[in-house]
Amino acid sequence: LEQGDRLIEELPKIPGAGRLRGGTESNFLLYEMLDAAGNPDNATALAVYEKLAESKGVVVRFRGKEHGCLGCLRITLGTEAEVTRFLESLRVTLAEVRGQ
């Protein structure tokens, strides 16, 4: 639960991470990924998903095709070390994907 609270606090500070979609009572969180214009975007989310898995070894789930989940990634809660690695990887990957 502590790491879920940490993600909820830290993710909005990362440029390109959008709104939390859905609840917080499970072992995962659903967050929007935003394009350079600040809109939820499936292309951005899919690119982040692929880059995290292929080059960073961090696995999240792309959920952009689900109803009401435009541009969303499903992020499973992990240990403190896993969450730290995820946050660092997401920050770098979002900047790369958004061309910043």
Side-chain angles (χ1 to χ4, degrees):
L1 294 175
E2 184 178 306
Q3 294 309 307
D5 292 341
R6 180 178 172 208
L7 283 169
I8 290 168
E9 181 180 330
E10 295 295 322
L11 274 167
K13 298 175 184 175
I14 297 175
R19 297 176 295 168
L20 171 66
R21 304 291 298 192
T24 59
E25 300 300 318
S26 65
N27 69 336
F28 67 88
L29 299 172
L30 194 65
Y31 267 89
E32 295 172 334
M33 298 295 115
L34 309 177
D35 62 16
N39 300 308
D41 179 58
N42 276 348
T44 300
L46 189 56
V48 168
Y49 159 76
E50 290 172 349
K51 279 183 166 278
L52 284 175
E54 293 171 4
S55 65
K56 308 277 194 266
V58 174
V59 178
V60 295
R61 302 281 184 244
F62 174 70
R63 290 292 179 249
K65 293 183 180 181
E66 305 294 327
H67 179 72
C69 295
L70 179 65
C72 285
L73 295 179
R74 180 185 145 174
I75 303 157
T76 303
L77 306 180
T79 65
E80 182 177 357
E82 290 168 336
V83 169
T84 297
R85 181 173 174 220
F86 166 72
L87 289 168
E88 292 170 1
S89 297
L90 181 65
R91 184 180 318 277
V92 169
T93 302
L94 265 169
E96 290 171 356
V97 166
R98 297 173 81 217
Q100 300 173 336

